[in-house]
Amino acid sequence: AQSVTQLGSHVSVSEGALVLLRCNYSSSVPPYLFWYVQYPNQGLQLLLKYTSAATLVKGINGFEAEFKKSETSFHLTKPSAHMSDAAEYFCAVTPLPQAGTALIFGKGTTLSVSS
Amino acid sequence: KAGVTQTPRYLIKTRGQQVTLSCSPISGHRSVSWYQQTPGQGLQFLFEYFSETQRNKGNFPGRFSGRQFSNSRSEMNVSTLELGDSALYLCASSPPDSLHGYTFGSGTRLTVV
């Protein structure tokens, strides 16, 4: 069975500082991994996805993530935080490359950015 | 192009009632999935429909049901509402190749009193 663990339910950084949000997955087959962001009272927006191509994935808004099979990790990073990055971030895994397969989400990490 | 549209945005219902939520996917997307989001349980998969057929179902009681129409629009229904059904219900659509990811709507906030 697949599962996702997000370490740290809340991360606080200063504006301009590095953002690092941790995600570890468990999967018996090669996984497809996603990071989503959720702003208050909104749905989920796809930041980036890993689908077995390049292990370093670049997404929107300056975010990127690196797939490390040996560590079963897919951590999300951004070199310099912006106030507008404050939101909740979800890591998700799905085992099959086809529509309809359920996404399995982590519990989420709330990112706070202070000036 | 238009995104995933969910209606209504907010609902307040009384215990024991039933409710129907609607989701219109992105044009051309034939797969529609539903998720429940609560502070305690997080995001949980309810079910997925493709070409009017339920292909996948999560671990929810039979009070939760859904359907999909020929135009790919989907509805989910919850009967005999319980307080614990209060949640944000999110709909997501995807093209046949999910490598493009899933596009979510803004959700329907259901409050059961």
Side-chain angles (χ1 to χ4, degrees):
Chain A
Q2 286 72 34
S3 65
V4 172
T5 301
Q6 291 185 242
L7 298 174
S9 59
H10 197 169
V11 171
S12 297
V13 300
S14 300
E15 194 172 22
L18 171 71
V19 175
L20 171 60
L21 304 182
R22 301 178 186 273
C23 173
N24 288 89
Y25 69 91
S26 171
S27 178
S28 57
V29 298
Y32 287 71
L33 295 156
F34 304 82
W35 274 100
Y36 283 87
V37 61
Q38 185 177 35
Y39 298 99
N41 297 316
Q42 294 189 27
L44 303 175
Q45 181 183 9
L46 180 65
L47 279 176
L48 49 79
K49 59 185 184 288
Y50 167 75
T51 55
S52 75
T55 56
L56 182 61
V57 181
K58 294 188 183 299
I60 62 172
N61 302 338
F63 284 95
E64 63 181 38
E66 186 172 8
F67 173 72
K68 291 187 177 180
K69 183 177 179 180
S70 61
E71 299 177 9
T72 59
S73 68
F74 190 58
H75 302 330
L76 182 70
T77 61
K78 182 174 180 177
S80 177
H82 192 274
M83 296 292 286
S84 61
D85 295 327
E88 190 160 20
Y89 292 79
F90 294 93
C91 181
V93 65
T94 184
L96 296 173
Q98 58 191 9
T101 307
L103 284 171
I104 299 164
F105 286 91
K107 293 293 188 184
T109 298
T110 299
L111 176 66
S112 299
V113 183
S114 58
S115 58
Chain B
K1 67 186 182 183
V4 177
T5 303
Q6 291 189 246
T7 56
R9 285 298 309 275
Y10 302 93
L11 266 179
I12 300 176
K13 290 287 187 178
T14 304
R15 273 184 304 174
Q17 288 186 313
Q18 74 166 19
V19 67
T20 299
L21 312 181
S22 179
C23 172
S24 293
I26 290 174
S27 178
H29 287 193
R30 295 166 62 192
S31 169
V32 174
S33 302
W34 288 88
Y35 290 81
Q36 181 196 65
Q37 185 178 23
T38 60
Q41 299 299 316
L43 283 151
Q44 293 184 287
F45 173 75
L46 281 157
F47 29 64
E48 184 265 350
Y49 287 86
F50 181 83
S51 293
E52 303 177 65
T53 300
Q54 186 182 89
R55 294 196 301 187
N56 199 359
K57 188 178 191 304
N59 188 25
F60 278 82
R63 299 186 297 107
F64 291 81
S65 63
R67 59 177 175 170
Q68 186 180 34
F69 302 94
S70 58
N71 62 358
S72 294
R73 189 177 70 85
S74 177
E75 290 181 345
M76 68 163 282
N77 184 278
V78 188
S79 62
T80 320
L81 284 166
E82 301 176 359
L83 295 179
D85 297 333
S86 295
L88 179 66
Y89 290 89
L90 293 165
C91 167
S93 75
S94 64
D97 178 3
S98 69
L99 296 182
H100 295 283
Y102 301 76
T103 303
F104 283 80
S106 296
T108 294
R109 173 75 62 184
L110 172 64
T111 301
V112 182
V113 298

